[in-house]
Every structure is written in structure tokens, then in C-alpha cells.
Amino acid sequence: MTQHNPHVPDSDDYDPSASSLAGQVDKSVMAELLSIRSSIDNIDATLVYLLAERFKATQKVGFLKAAHRLPAGDPGREAAQIARLRRLAEDAHLDPAFAEKFLNFIIGEVIRHHEAIAEDHEAASGQHPQASALA
């Protein structure tokens, strides 16, 4: 269930022209700023939907790993992905360190989700995670 943050307006309440700069800058500058921000808003929305799709896929991986008692993390895969993303970032003229931080954040969340899925799977199968690790 999604929690509502009272400090963040609902998407229905979103005002793309909201700015603390309104009335402080030339109207033509503000118009250009809002036009660029509109593109940023579209990109942000796309990122949210892409991340949602990515997490749907990683959830499937988590269920597969839990069913076969595989570890939540895969350091070899993670290192290869980080190296790959750094190269892609360089090609795209994006700071590779930023790309690595971003991917590390995502990997951390994925592992956290995989661990929770594994715990739920173990509980549903009647085995304690520690007991299966010792078996």
C-alpha cells in the first residue's frame, strides 16, 4: 500500500508552472524555463515507469532465487553490471561515478526485496531461514 506524504501534492494537484521564481524573472525567461522543465517532467515520469518495470522483473528473479534457495545478491553479476553501466555512462557523457551510485542504490533495494521474498518463502514453507542455511 502506498503511503501519502502530506508534503507532496497528489499527481492530480501537480502544477507544472509552480516556481518560487514566478514574478521575479522576465516572462520570456520564465516561459523558456517552464518549457525545459516540461521536458524534465516527462523524463521523470518515464524514469518512474521504467523503474517500476525493472522492479517487476527483479521481483520475478527474487521469487526464482527464493524457490531455489539462491542468495539474494550476486556479486559477480553486480560488478559486471556496474562496469557496464559506467561504460554506458561515459559513452552518454554522464558522470560514471553518478551512474555507479545510482545502480548501487538500485542493487541495494533489489537485494533488500530479494531477502524479504526469501524470508516470506521460508516462512510459507515452514522452515526458518537460519535452519535451511545450516542444512
Side-chain angles (χ1 to χ4, degrees), residues 2-10:
T2 311
Q3 291 185 345
H4 178 73
N5 183 340
H7 302 290
V8 177
D10 292 332

Side-chain angles (χ1 to χ4, degrees), residues 2-3 6-7 10 21-22 25 28 31 33 35 42 57-59 61 78 83 87 99-100 121 125 130:
T2 311
Q3 291 185 345
H7 302 290
D10 292 332
L21 301 174
V25 297
S28 65
L33 182 62
S35 175
N42 290 339
T58 60
Q59 185 178 34
V61 169
E78 294 154 19
R87 285 190 307 274
E100 183 173 347
H121 185 268
S125 67
Q130 297 298 340

Side-chain angles (χ1 to χ4, degrees), residues 8 43 65-66 83 90 92 126:
V8 177
I43 293 165
K65 284 181 173 184
E90 288 172 5

Side-chain angles (χ1 to χ4, degrees), residues 66-124:
H68 296 279
R69 298 176 195 254
L70 299 172
D74 185 344
R77 160 84 174 157
E78 294 154 19
Q81 280 295 87
I82 288 168
R84 177 179 170 264
L85 201 67
R86 286 185 69 92
R87 285 190 307 274
L88 290 170
E90 288 172 5
D91 291 346
H93 306 287
L94 178 68
D95 179 5
F98 169 77
E100 183 173 347
K101 287 177 193 174
F102 180 71
L103 187 59
N104 277 325
F105 174 76
I106 291 172
I107 289 169
E109 284 298 299
V110 168
I111 290 172
R112 188 175 64 78
H113 292 172
H114 287 186
E115 289 169 345
I117 290 168
E119 287 176 15
D120 290 347
H121 185 268
E122 292 291 336

Side-chain angles (χ1 to χ4, degrees), residues 40-62:
I40 293 169
D41 291 351
N42 290 339
I43 293 165
D44 288 347
T46 301
L47 285 171
V48 167
Y49 283 102
L50 285 173
L51 285 169
E53 287 303 311
R54 189 185 196 289
F55 276 91
K56 285 177 192 174
T58 60
Q59 185 178 34
K60 290 178 185 178
V61 169

